[in-house]
């Protein structure tokens, strides 16, 4: 086979992972990063003998590629991407590239606006508990390509975003899971909710009759759009509103799984994860475990022993009777809605960051009912002030996690909860949501 000339746009985890896999497969590779590479990623590229540049793009060299793998963070409307496509060069993502070399491995792919990380981690925990040779990759853990290159597995559990799905062509999961669809990332989709919905449904586009599509039939947007897409795989709904012939449901505090293989029953009080939204995540994971052939006891015991994720409604601690909760991963309105729904104490809500087209009307009733103070954590909080000031007497601005925690604590009384659930991206003040969450937790420790 002639060595393909491959250019990788972006030198983050997905780009470096793709480069390592491409090198192993005998491609000629050039990594082009418009910003500065991290020291770790730069060292890895040097160690693998991979040619790269940083701080600029060599356009002519990039346009000479046979194929380009782009970072999911680079939008289609990027000028360089437009030039590449105008020249007729194929542009794919790292997920698509890794898929080409996955061999006989099975793929479980999870997408959705909310709950996908928790569901992914729960399925991974279940598979490991069941002694499957598996890895958790994609938006969580290693890049898919890096895993395929360095430590291939029999089962890949892939958390996949709409951005990553946009750059797939042949990617076909054996089991595709859609947790839900709510308005998110609309700035990337020309503020068209339908474009975002269609992007999510790309997870099913290559599935065949022997594959499975696990979805929440209580989610109206998912339900309304299933018939708009030609889905060939077997449908496995999960729900709290009815009893499907096949799928999963919760009735009278009992979860029942009905798959082709067997039936499973389990009390929701035995779930390690609490809250209604996590009951949905647990159903999605349990039915996936059943399809993968895991034993009833494995599914049941793994759901009892799972530990919740950092930065997702994570209890940080209690200081002088004030509870602090880190939900930094709530980067959209729907995630914040779930967090607020679970609050049973008077709440001081830390909100804000980079707004991705939020409709705050969706959480207004919960905010009026439960929130006594809004503490803004972001550089531009005008939209939050404009929307909530008629309803909430105290709205204050902060520009650091420490300042937000200190001010929240000053407003709090014994028995209150301080909830970091920003409903926004973090890049105005932080590296990412993990950085935001870690700084929040450190500030709580310093009280």
């Amino acid at each position: 086979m002639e060595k393909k000339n491959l250019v990788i746009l972006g030198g983050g985890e997905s780009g470096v992972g793709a480069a390592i896999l491409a090198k192993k497969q005998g491609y000629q590779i050039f990594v082009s990063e418009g910003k500065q590479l991290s020291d770790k990623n730069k060292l890895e590229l040097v160690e693998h003998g991979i040619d790269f540049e940083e701080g600029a793009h060599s356009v002519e060299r990039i346009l000479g590629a046979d194929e380009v793998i782009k970072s999911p963070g680079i939008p289609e409307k990027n000028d360089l991407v437009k030039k590449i496509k105008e020249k007729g060069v194929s542009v794919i993502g790292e997920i698509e590239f890794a898929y080409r070399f996955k061999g006989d491995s099975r793929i479980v792919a999870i997408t959705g606006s909310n709950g996908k990380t928790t569901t992914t981690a729960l399925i991974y925990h279940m598979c490991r508990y069941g002694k499957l040779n598996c890895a958790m990759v994609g938006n969580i853990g290693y890049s898919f390509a890096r895993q395929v290159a360095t430590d291939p597995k029999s089962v890949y559990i892939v958390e996949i975003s709409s951005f990553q799905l946009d750059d797939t062509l042949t990617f076909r999961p054996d089991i595709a899971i859609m947790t839900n669809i709510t308005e998110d990332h609309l700035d990337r989709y020309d503020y068209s909710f339908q474009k975002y919905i269609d992007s999510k449904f790309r997870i099913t586009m290559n599935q065949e009759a022997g594959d499975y599509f696990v979805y929440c039939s209580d989610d109206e947007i998912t339900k309304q759009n299933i018939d708009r897409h030609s889905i060939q795989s077997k449908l496995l709904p999960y729900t709290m509103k009815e009893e499907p012939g096949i799928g999963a449901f919760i009735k009278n505090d009992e979860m029942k799984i009905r798959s082709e293989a067997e039936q499973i029953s389990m009390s929701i009080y035995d779930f390690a994860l609490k809250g209604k939204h996590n009951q949905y995540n647990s159903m999605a994971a349990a039915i996936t475990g059943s399809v993968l052939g895991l034993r009833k006891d494995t599914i049941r015991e793994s759901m009892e022993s799972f530990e919740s994720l950092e930065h997702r409604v994570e209890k940080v601690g209690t200081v002088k009777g004030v509870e602090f909760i880190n939900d930094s991963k709530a980067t959209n309105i729907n995630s914040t809605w779930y967090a607020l729904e679970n609050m049973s104490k008077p709440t001081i809500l830390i909100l804000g960051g980079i707004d991705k087209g939020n409709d705050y009307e969706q959480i207004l009733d919960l905010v009026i009912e439960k929130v006594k103070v809004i503490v803004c954590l972001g550089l531009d909080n005008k939209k939050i002030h404009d929307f909530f000031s008629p309803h909430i007497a105290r709205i204050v601005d902060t520009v650091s996690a420490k300042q937000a925690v200190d001010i929240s604590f000053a407003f709090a009384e014994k028995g209150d909860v301080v909830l970091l659930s920003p409903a926004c991206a973090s890049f105005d003040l932080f590296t990412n949501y993990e950085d935001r969450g870690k700084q929040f937790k450190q500030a709580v420790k310093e009280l």
Side-chain angles (χ1 to χ4, degrees):
M1 185 186 85
E2 184 188 344
K3 283 191 178 180
K4 248 189 175 179
N5 178 14
L6 193 70
V7 168
I8 297 171
L9 281 187
E13 171 62 22
S14 69
V16 172
I20 291 168
L21 177 59
K23 179 79 173 181
K24 186 176 180 182
Q25 295 297 330
Y27 285 78
Q28 292 177 339
I29 320 148
F30 177 54
V31 175
S32 179
E33 170 56 68
K35 297 176 183 175
Q36 295 300 306
L37 287 159
S38 71
D39 291 342
K40 173 182 170 291
N41 288 353
K42 194 185 298 188
L43 184 63
E44 272 199 293
L45 293 172
V46 170
E47 284 175 348
H48 284 87
I50 294 166
D51 194 11
F52 66 89
E53 66 179 353
E54 59 181 334
H57 293 300
S58 300
V59 177
E60 289 308 312
R61 184 170 181 183
I62 292 166
L63 293 177
D66 296 317
E67 190 165 45
V68 170
I69 299 173
K70 79 169 182 68
S71 160
I74 302 171
E76 291 287 306
K77 57 189 83 168
N78 175 279
D79 287 341
L80 182 53
V81 173
K82 282 181 182 174
K83 284 179 186 173
I84 295 165
K85 290 197 167 183
E86 281 165 10
K87 195 157 184 272
V89 177
S90 168
V91 178
I92 61 168
E94 170 257 336
I95 296 285
E96 173 71 20
F97 185 66
Y99 177 77
R100 293 177 183 173
F101 303 101
K102 61 94 179 174
D104 295 332
S105 303
R106 286 187 290 176
I107 293 178
V108 178
I110 302 97
T111 197
S113 303
N114 306 104
K116 62 180 179 289
T117 302
T118 300
T119 303
T120 302
L122 182 51
I123 293 169
Y124 175 60
H125 173 67
M126 200 174 278
C127 289
R128 286 185 68 204
Y129 198 87
K131 304 290 193 293
L132 294 185
N133 178 31
C134 62
M136 179 170 60
V137 296
N139 258 6
I140 182 172
Y142 281 144
S143 78
F144 186 15
R146 179 193 292 273
Q147 189 75 50
V148 170
T150 61
D151 187 13
K153 301 290 186 183
S154 303
V155 179
Y156 295 105
I157 298 122
V158 187
E159 182 189 322
I160 187 164
S161 69
S162 57
F163 296 174
Q164 289 168 313
L165 285 167
D166 289 338
D167 296 327
T168 59
L169 299 172
T170 63
F171 176 71
R172 184 191 129 222
D174 299 84
I175 305 171
I177 300 159
M178 180 94 77
T179 57
N180 69 349
I181 306 177
T182 62
E183 292 190 2
D184 195 10
H185 301 297
L186 294 192
D187 50 339
R188 180 80 170 246
Y189 293 96
D190 303 321
Y191 295 92
S192 165
F193 189 24
Q194 191 59 53
K195 284 184 181 178
Y196 174 64
I197 293 166
D198 292 343
S199 175
K200 285 292 187 192
F201 269 93
R202 287 177 68 88
I203 200 167
T204 66
M205 70 180 178
N206 295 311
Q207 284 196 299
E208 298 173 358
D211 301 326
Y212 295 87
F213 179 46
V214 177
Y215 69 98
C216 179
S217 60
D218 294 351
D219 183 62
E220 286 302 318
I221 301 299
T222 306
K223 201 172 174 181
Q224 287 163 15
N225 282 272
I226 278 186
D227 292 338
R228 293 184 77 253
H229 297 84
S230 179
I231 299 172
Q232 304 300 313
S233 49
K234 296 169 188 169
L235 302 182
L236 289 175
Y238 56 96
T239 173
M240 294 187 192
K241 294 181 178 176
E242 56 191 341
E243 292 188 27
I246 191 164
F249 65 95
I250 288 176
K251 186 177 179 183
N252 299 328
D253 298 334
E254 196 81 8
M255 177 187 74
K256 294 187 187 296
I257 303 294
R258 292 173 179 163
S259 70
E260 293 165 330
E262 58 185 351
Q263 295 195 18
I264 300 168
S265 187
M266 182 176 177
S267 168
I268 62 168
Y269 299 110
D270 293 331
F271 293 177
L273 293 172
K274 305 303 179 188
K276 189 175 178 181
H277 60 297
N278 278 322
Q279 291 172 15
Y280 281 112
N281 296 335
S282 298
M283 281 194 284
I287 197 162
T288 301
S290 180
V291 170
L292 285 169
L294 295 174
R295 294 171 56 245
K296 289 181 189 179
D297 289 348
T298 296
I299 293 170
R300 190 177 288 111
E301 289 166 18
S302 62
M303 290 179 71
E304 290 172 352
S305 61
F306 181 71
E307 292 181 6
S308 60
L309 297 168
E310 189 179 18
H311 312 301
R312 166 53 79 216
V313 198
E314 175 195 10
K315 291 184 179 179
V316 176
T318 302
V319 182
K320 293 183 179 175
V322 178
E323 188 179 359
F324 288 84
I325 294 177
N326 167 27
D327 192 37
S328 182
K329 197 172 189 306
T331 58
N332 60 46
I333 280 290
N334 205 243
S335 293
T336 299
W337 186 93
Y338 280 126
L340 284 170
E341 188 197 31
N342 283 320
M343 294 302 112
S344 55
K345 302 174 182 177
T347 301
I348 292 154
L349 175 62
I350 302 177
L351 198 64
I354 295 178
D355 187 299
K356 297 180 289 184
N358 285 345
D359 176 8
Y360 290 111
E361 191 74 44
Q362 294 176 37
I363 59 169
L364 180 59
D365 288 348
L366 283 169
V367 169
I368 291 169
E369 178 191 347
K370 302 189 177 193
V371 174
K372 54 193 280 189
V373 181
I374 291 176
V375 174
C376 298
L377 178 56
L379 293 178
D380 182 4
N381 306 311
K382 184 178 184 302
K383 186 173 172 182
I384 295 170
H385 279 274
D386 289 349
F387 185 83
F388 288 109
S389 57
H391 312 283
I392 300 294
R394 287 177 173 166
I395 304 176
V396 295
D397 292 334
T398 64
V399 291
S400 71
K402 176 160 178 49
Q403 191 183 11
V405 166
D406 289 349
I407 285 176
S408 297
F409 190 51
F411 280 125
E413 301 171 52
K414 188 175 181 180
D416 288 354
V417 61
V418 174
L419 170 66
L420 169 68
S421 189
C424 295
S426 55
F427 306 119
D428 54 344
L429 293 172
F430 306 94
T431 310
N432 48 38
Y433 75 82
E434 289 105 330
D435 178 37
R436 177 168 62 189
K438 283 184 167 70
Q439 288 194 39
F440 173 79
K441 292 200 291 185
Q442 184 59 37
V444 173
K445 279 183 188 171
E446 291 172 4
L447 283 174

